[in-house]
Amino acid sequence: MTDTKGPASYFPAIEKKYGQSIQHWLSLLDSLQGLKHMEQVTWLKEQHQMGHGHANALVAYKRSTDSGLRN
């Protein structure tokens, strides 16, 4: 079992379920910087059929690392 907490704890499941690396998803989120948190979550859900929890975890992680507040 891993000690990873917070949004990053979802990463192994995200990679397994959607077949792409976390870096792939974070790179996609780079193009959505002008959108609010929930707008980015909705985009992942609508454009990539991602579940809410996974989309929210990616957005939360990306926003925290962009702010220098890594969890």
Side-chain angles (χ1 to χ4, degrees):
M1 185 158 193
T2 180
D3 288 341
T4 303
K5 296 180 181 175
S9 67
Y10 286 85
F11 288 179
I14 291 170
E15 289 180 332
K16 183 177 180 180
K17 182 164 184 163
Y18 303 104
Q20 297 287 345
S21 70
I22 295 305
Q23 188 55 51
H24 167 81
W25 299 112
L26 297 178
S27 294
L28 288 178
L29 289 172
D30 281 337
S31 68
L32 306 175
Q33 288 181 350
L35 298 180
K36 294 178 181 177
H37 179 106
M38 286 308 298
E39 291 172 331
Q40 292 176 336
V41 169
T42 298
W43 184 85
L44 287 170
K45 290 168 63 174
E46 291 178 353
Q47 298 299 314
H48 299 282
Q49 293 69 52
M50 189 170 281
H52 181 83
H54 288 165
N56 189 60
L58 285 168
V59 173
Y61 180 84
K62 176 71 173 153
R63 293 171 78 87
S64 73
T65 58
D66 286 352
S67 300
L69 302 173
R70 176 170 259 168
N71 289 345

